[in-house]
Amino acid sequence: VVICGGGIMGTSVAYHLSKMGWKDIVLLEQGRLAAGSTRFCAGILSTARHLTIEQKMADYSNKLYHQLEQETGIQTGYIRTGSVFLAQTQDRLISLKRINSRLNVIGIPSEIISPKKVAELHPLLNVHDLVGAMHVPEDAVVSSADVALALASAASQNGVQIYDRTSVLHVMVKKGQVTGVETDKGQIECQYFVNCAGQWAYELGLSNEEPVSIPLHACEHFYLLTRPLETPLQSNTPTIVDADGRIYIRNWQGGILSGGFEKNPKPIFTEGKNQLEIQNLQEDWDHFEPLLSSLLRRMPDLETLEILKLVNCPETFTPDMRCIMGESPSVRGYFVLAGMNSAGLSFGGGAGRYLAEWMVHGSPSENIWELDLKRFGALQSSRTFLRHRVMEVMPLLYDLKVPRWDFQTGRQLRTSPLYDRLDAQGARWMEKHGFERPKYFVPPDKDLLALEQSKTFYKPDWFEIVESEVKCCKEAVCVIDMSSFTKFEITSTGDQALEVLQYLFSNDLDVPVGHIVHTGMLNQGGGYENDCSVARLSKRSFFMISPTDQQVHCWAWLKKHMPEDSNLLLEDVTWKYTALNLIGPRAVDVLSELSYAPMTPDHFPSLFCKEMSVGYANGIRVMSMTHTGEPGFMLYIPIEYALHVYNEVMSVGQKYGIRNAGYYALRSLRIEKFFAFWGQDLNTLTTPLECGRESRVKLEKGMDFIGRDALLQQKQNGVYKRLTMFILDDHDTDLDLWPWWGEPIYRNGQYAGKTTSSAYSYTLERHVCLGFVHNFSEDTGEEQVVTADFINRGEYEIDIAGHRFQAKAKLYPVTSLFTHKRRKEDVELSDLHG
């Protein structure tokens, strides 16, 4: 193993790999150890994060650094100070309460406190404009460079060889596999390469023979240091984060260290030249002025204090504010850990551990899809895109994040051919994997500005708009442009395609031509690597439809497991087809009028796929499914016919009351029908048996498939968590806070899991949340088997920002009793649970 980068990430990976028993490890650093961003880091370790995986990484780092001094004898300057997060507005307080309720359930102590209590914890603060705060008592400050040196020293005691002043020129690759590293002091052969090069990671990735795209970009980050106060601050003075004032403040040798994330950041090194060790860049007082005045408002006593210096150091940021880790989709054995968005110290220990587990065991112990390098494609690595996006990302770190906000920069990159038509009809857009998708359509008489400005944790402005779209899906017919879905074709000369797919997928794909199978690819543990629908186009070709953000991940998984066979062809046809989803009872009428073919269930059964002509256009793949559980059809239209088919559908549909709809309507429909989506509800650690999808797995299909053994064992031993649908009871949609995702679930007053997604069901006139229920033992906290009986016997509450609402738990959808088509499946399900 060769690790490139001697900052906190590189040393943490080396430390954890050597702890797990790997011996042959070399760590290379181009300058001195801990001389990059690690040296200038402000040294604040904070566990209050929005994502659970980030909370867990920070919590692990905290425990690791705490015992590092004992283990290595190197002083790391670790002091447990606690942090206080201030709220100047009610919305900010809600956001803190949401984080607080999540921290408590994973065992990190924290509480919401009053401004008066803040003044007791930190007497110098001005608290008159605060509405409240969150106190996390176990957060710490530590010297990040010393932590990196301690990790390096522990790693070298375990046999890791460390060379500084050695630059990696490029990584050698043969047949898509890492074979070695070329340095300025000669070659090293290796099977694994770990890129922990911080802000040099992007260029290092591109310097290979086979480039690896790592989307990150550096910005200048400023903080000031002062002389000690007249009565020096106590060493355990809590760290203050005043996000509404965009600043953080910590004690530094009796004085103050304070920095922040300004609204107008300065990206640097776009052309790519930068020093080996980061020297202090220029001071820029004019640029720091807004943060300084914010600091003086918060701590008026500082007026007279002497400032030692303003430190300016580069920090790397990524396109979505989350760090990047994992194996490259194009080069096996090439791992990355970089792009920390200024939380490198907090994540260092945990991220190093997960990456080491990934290398040693083939997968990390937690679901880290949100941080996986494969969530990005090559499209996110344009220099211009990165420069513009990080200028938006850096201020966002302290901006208030309300549910469902969207990035404003780097937009309109991938669009459907219908983009302009839909835009002119009032579409409001969101972006997924660079692809523009409609959220909903604003009717001509609505005032628009109000919609954009009113972002809230409560009932949103689009409530009535989405309601009318959902109603139209139920009663007439709607069109949703779903072109962003990932689409692959797999073909072969003989039976190779079928054989490979049968091994990769859990359902039986040996079906008659024209049938569609809902299935997914599982990993060895039986968890979903991907969730998809596969249509059999002919004896030897298959058409596979997957979620939008799986384009890179799915391709990499297929490539990794498909034999090198010239008779087997895998093609990404995402861009070749525009996909229109026709939902609603009148979809049948629209299509049969356009194709002069009967489309009734007798002629066109459910889950069926057929090439037809629609209007003047030929070769359109029509599938009887809608991804929502409502009746209707998906049309996959060759891109040059897209506009024609859309116009025809809209004009014929007029008399049936057709209208456009967006993804918010789709979301409401699929959640009330208990349809789980990959990336939100399902991930690599959830198996089909844990989410009621037994019917999509054919254990007895006559051949082995990946994950089969794990499922057989699970079937025997029972499941330890179960995807459940919750209907909120005493919740007032107009006045109460809405559930969005990640809310803790309580069963009989005990913590039992978290929600994964939620939506308002216009049919049930209630909020519906999906989430996993666990059975934690009251004595040991260990997970026990979850049965249908266990779920049905509990009394449930959902915790929304600290307030608990009663909820009813269901294991199958409520509305399905009315739809004849689903009744058969329900009987099967009730037999299973019975």
Side-chain angles (χ1 to χ4, degrees):
V1 180
V2 173
I3 301 170
C4 171
I8 192 138
M9 292 298 147
T11 51
S12 173
V13 172
Y15 171 87
H16 285 96
L17 280 176
S18 65
K19 276 264 193 245
M20 291 180 189
W22 278 23
K23 286 286 174 260
D24 199 1
I25 303 170
V26 179
L27 177 88
L28 306 176
E29 161 57 50
Q30 55 178 0
R32 292 191 312 260
L33 281 182
S37 305
T38 303
R39 170 166 146 225
F40 286 109
C41 165
I44 298 169
L45 198 159
S46 125
T47 47
R49 305 279 164 191
H50 284 278
L51 295 178
T52 304
I53 181 72
E54 294 182 341
Q55 291 173 354
K56 287 182 175 165
M57 290 195 316
D59 189 41
Y60 174 81
S61 301
N62 197 353
K63 297 185 166 95
L64 174 72
Y65 305 161
H66 184 50
Q67 52 90 31
L68 210 52
E69 214 164 296
Q70 289 173 327
E71 186 183 337
T72 60
I74 295 177
Q75 298 244 318
T76 54
Y78 181 96
I79 303 165
R80 193 158 272 186
T81 57
S83 321
V84 180
F85 294 79
L86 310 180
Q88 295 179 26
T89 62
Q90 284 300 336
D91 269 352
R92 175 71 67 182
L93 191 58
I94 292 168
S95 169
L96 290 175
K97 283 177 174 169
R98 287 174 61 87
I99 293 175
N100 181 60
S101 63
R102 287 181 214 172
L103 283 174
N104 290 337
V105 296
I106 63 170
I108 299 175
S110 73
E111 57 172 345
I112 299 292
I113 58 176
S114 65
K116 194 167 146 237
K117 183 82 200 286
V118 175
E120 288 168 24
L121 287 167
H122 201 305
L124 296 174
L125 287 192
N126 163 18
V127 297
H128 74 270
D129 59 346
L130 300 184
V131 295
M134 176 171 79
H135 182 217
V136 186
E138 289 187 2
D139 281 359
V141 297
V142 62
S143 153
S144 50
D146 292 341
V147 167
L149 294 171
L151 288 168
S153 122
S156 68
Q157 281 166 8
N158 286 339
V160 175
Q161 299 163 288
I162 298 178
Y163 300 100
D164 57 5
R165 307 207 178 280
T166 308
S167 300
V168 173
L169 302 177
H170 70 153
V171 178
M172 298 178 295
V173 178
K174 217 184 223 140
K175 287 188 179 166
Q177 168 79 39
V178 171
T179 57
V181 177
E182 177 93 43
T183 74
D184 56 359
K185 297 186 179 164
Q187 289 190 358
I188 307 176
E189 285 186 12
C190 64
Q191 291 163 293
Y192 294 95
F193 177 75
V194 188
N195 181 343
C196 299
Q199 54 200 327
W200 294 276
Y202 175 89
E203 280 156 66
L204 182 58
L206 295 183
S207 71
N208 305 347
E209 296 163 11
E210 171 92 25
V212 172
S213 148
I214 303 166
L216 46 81
H217 197 295
C219 279
E220 296 184 11
H221 177 62
F222 297 91
Y223 59 82
L224 58 79
L225 300 168
T226 71
R227 295 208 180 281
L229 284 85
E230 279 170 28
T231 46
L233 283 179
Q234 299 284 315
S235 65
N236 62 352
T237 309
T239 299
I240 303 296
V241 176
D242 179 4
D244 296 309
R246 307 197 149 281
I247 54 169
Y248 57 81
I249 309 165
R250 63 160 277 201
N251 159 53
W252 184 72
Q253 300 178 358
I256 291 285
L257 181 162
S258 173
F261 298 102
E262 62 274 20
K263 275 202 156 93
N264 52 338
K266 295 166 65 175
I268 44 175
F269 304 147
T270 304
E271 295 77 28
K273 298 180 193 58
N274 46 11
Q275 318 108 317
L276 289 187
E277 289 177 18
I278 299 169
Q279 303 309 326
N280 211 345
L281 303 162
Q282 297 138 352
E283 297 192 347
D284 184 342
W285 281 103
D286 294 344
H287 191 75
F288 192 71
E289 197 282 324
L291 299 178
L292 181 60
S293 52
S294 177
L295 171 65
L296 293 175
R297 272 198 306 279
R298 191 54 64 216
M299 296 182 75
D301 303 0
L302 295 186
E303 285 284 357
T304 54
L305 201 60
E306 188 188 340
I307 292 177
L308 275 177
K309 63 174 173 188
L310 182 65
V311 178
N312 166 359
C313 67
E315 279 278 3
T316 35
F317 297 90
T318 59
D320 61 359
M321 294 189 296
R322 307 189 202 130
C323 73
I324 296 177
M325 62 156 64
E327 189 173 12
S328 148
S330 51
V331 181
R332 288 191 304 281
Y334 192 111
F335 285 82
V336 180
L337 183 54
M340 289 295 145
N341 302 293
S342 146
L345 179 71
S346 304
F347 296 158
R353 171 186 156 202
Y354 288 140
L355 194 77
E357 290 176 345
W358 200 330
M359 293 170 68
V360 175
H361 305 305
S363 64
S365 57
E366 295 281 343
N367 165 44
I368 58 109
W369 166 247
E370 292 159 315
L371 314 176
D372 192 330
L373 171 63
K374 295 196 257 314
R375 70 182 186 273
F376 295 120
L379 55 114
Q380 280 95 348
S381 62
S382 132
R383 271 293 191 196
T384 317
F385 166 79
L386 288 172
R387 187 182 170 92
H388 290 175
R389 176 57 68 84
V390 293
M391 289 173 75
E392 179 183 15
V393 159
M394 189 167 155
L396 269 171
L397 288 173
Y398 274 3
D399 279 346
L400 186 68
K401 292 190 246 327
V402 295
R404 311 222 183 142
W405 51 273
D406 296 293
F407 288 110
Q408 302 303 309
T409 52
R411 293 293 295 269
Q412 296 180 11
L413 183 57
R414 301 170 73 195
T415 56
S416 142
L418 306 175
Y419 180 85
D420 289 343
R421 287 300 308 272
L422 301 178
D423 201 52
Q425 296 178 68
R428 287 286 160 268
W429 301 91
M430 61 190 200
E431 169 255 356
K432 183 87 171 267
H433 204 66
F435 216 115
E436 297 292 329
R437 324 201 296 185
K439 297 194 271 197
Y440 47 78
F441 288 77
V442 180
D445 50 349
K446 273 270 189 200
D447 175 25
L448 267 191
L449 203 63
L451 265 176
E452 285 307 310
Q453 285 171 348
S454 63
K455 299 202 148 106
T456 173
F457 290 102
Y458 290 91
K459 177 178 171 180
D461 268 10
W462 41 257
F463 185 81
E464 279 82 20
I465 296 179
V466 175
E467 178 172 30
S468 58
E469 291 179 11
V470 167
K471 196 169 176 220
C472 185
C473 289
K474 299 262 185 198
E475 294 167 6
V477 55
C478 273
V479 180
I480 305 183
D481 180 348
M482 295 180 66
S483 308
S484 68
F485 271 8
T486 300
K487 305 177 268 294
F488 292 159
E489 275 179 23
I490 300 126
T491 42
S492 60
T493 48
D495 291 339
Q496 299 94 328
L498 180 65
E499 284 163 18
V500 168
L501 295 184
Q502 285 285 52
Y503 175 62
L504 283 172
F505 289 93
S506 55
N507 209 334
D508 190 355
L509 293 183
D510 196 357
V511 292
V513 171
H515 282 246
I516 303 170
V517 178
H518 287 312
T519 178
M521 293 191 282
L522 309 180
N523 50 34
Q524 292 298 341
Y528 275 109
E529 283 296 330
N530 131 294
D531 172 36
C532 64
S533 305
V534 179
R536 188 163 193 181
L537 301 176
S538 71
K539 277 261 187 271
R540 294 170 183 166
S541 72
F542 295 84
F543 184 53
M544 170 179 169
I545 303 137
S546 299
T548 308
D549 51 0
Q550 276 222 337
Q551 196 168 7
V552 179
H553 175 74
C554 204
W555 178 266
W557 184 262
L558 283 165
K559 276 288 183 211
K560 183 173 162 186
H561 292 90
M562 284 170 83
E564 293 277 323
D565 183 346
S566 53
N567 296 324
L568 196 60
L569 180 69
L570 170 65
E571 190 186 0
D572 184 343
V573 294
T574 302
W575 58 275
K576 284 189 178 178
Y577 293 96
T578 298
L580 288 182
N581 196 349
L582 288 184
I583 303 181
R586 310 305 302 256
V588 177
D589 306 322
V590 176
L591 262 188
S592 51
E593 201 167 316
L594 274 173
S595 59
Y596 288 99
M599 302 295 288
T600 52
D602 326 332
H603 297 94
F604 207 117
S606 154
L607 289 182
F608 196 69
C609 167
K610 187 149 125 194
E611 284 214 350
M612 308 174 51
S613 53
V614 176
Y616 300 155
N618 246 328
I620 289 164
R621 291 178 186 169
V622 178
M623 305 191 182
S624 45
M625 56 183 270
T626 61
H627 302 281
T628 57
E630 299 293 329
F633 300 91
M634 284 292 297
L635 310 184
Y636 287 91
I637 309 161
I639 212 150
E640 64 267 36
Y641 300 143
L643 215 53
H644 168 76
V645 172
Y646 175 78
N647 291 340
E648 290 290 301
V649 165
M650 290 311 270
S651 73
V652 166
Q654 287 294 290
K655 56 176 174 290
Y656 301 110
I658 198 164
R659 61 180 289 171
N660 291 300
Y663 271 77
Y664 283 7
L666 189 82
R667 186 189 177 92
S668 169
L669 290 168
R670 70 109 180 154
I671 287 179
E672 73 180 22
K673 283 284 199 298
F674 205 170
F675 274 34
F677 268 28
W678 194 91
Q680 291 169 31
D681 312 298
L682 312 176
N683 60 43
T684 52
L685 296 176
T686 51
T687 71
L689 307 183
E690 292 165 348
C691 55
R693 291 188 165 189
E694 292 86 348
S695 57
R696 295 190 182 184
V697 175
K698 300 287 183 283
L699 291 169
E700 307 308 325
K701 66 179 178 182
M703 63 176 294
D704 192 23
F705 57 87
I706 301 177
R708 178 170 182 262
D709 297 345
L711 293 183
L712 284 171
Q713 198 167 352
Q714 201 174 32
K715 201 171 173 177
Q716 206 175 338
N717 303 343
V719 296
Y720 287 88
K721 59 178 188 259
R722 185 63 207 249
L723 188 66
T724 311
M725 173 165 153
F726 295 96
I727 301 164
L728 291 190
D729 267 353
D730 53 350
H731 184 274
D732 183 324
T733 313
D734 295 326
L735 303 176
D736 287 327
L737 284 171
W738 274 33
W740 296 95
W741 56 274
E743 287 86 14
I745 301 166
Y746 288 89
R747 178 186 183 274
N748 302 347
Q750 291 275 99
Y751 170 65
K754 285 196 192 70
T755 62
T756 51
S757 60
S758 62
Y760 182 79
S761 159
Y762 296 93
T763 319
L764 304 172
E765 297 182 354
R766 292 266 190 290
H767 260 290
V768 177
C769 306
L770 307 184
F772 281 95
V773 173
H774 301 252
N775 177 1
F776 298 111
S777 146
E778 285 187 35
D779 316 325
T780 60
E782 279 180 37
E783 296 198 32
Q784 299 164 313
V785 172
V786 175
T787 58
D789 189 41
F790 173 82
I791 288 181
N792 294 332
R793 278 213 318 262
E795 296 279 319
Y796 293 90
E797 294 168 306
I798 307 278
D799 175 333
I800 305 178
H803 185 100
R804 294 190 191 178
F805 294 93
Q806 288 175 347
K808 285 196 177 72
K810 304 272 181 218
L811 280 170
Y812 52 91
V814 187
T815 42
S816 66
L817 302 176
F818 314 121
T819 52
H820 184 70
K821 225 165 45 178
R822 299 285 310 258
R823 193 172 293 162
K824 194 165 107 286
E825 278 180 64
D826 284 335
V827 172
E828 288 170 19
L829 276 175
S830 57
D831 286 353
L832 276 162
H833 301 321

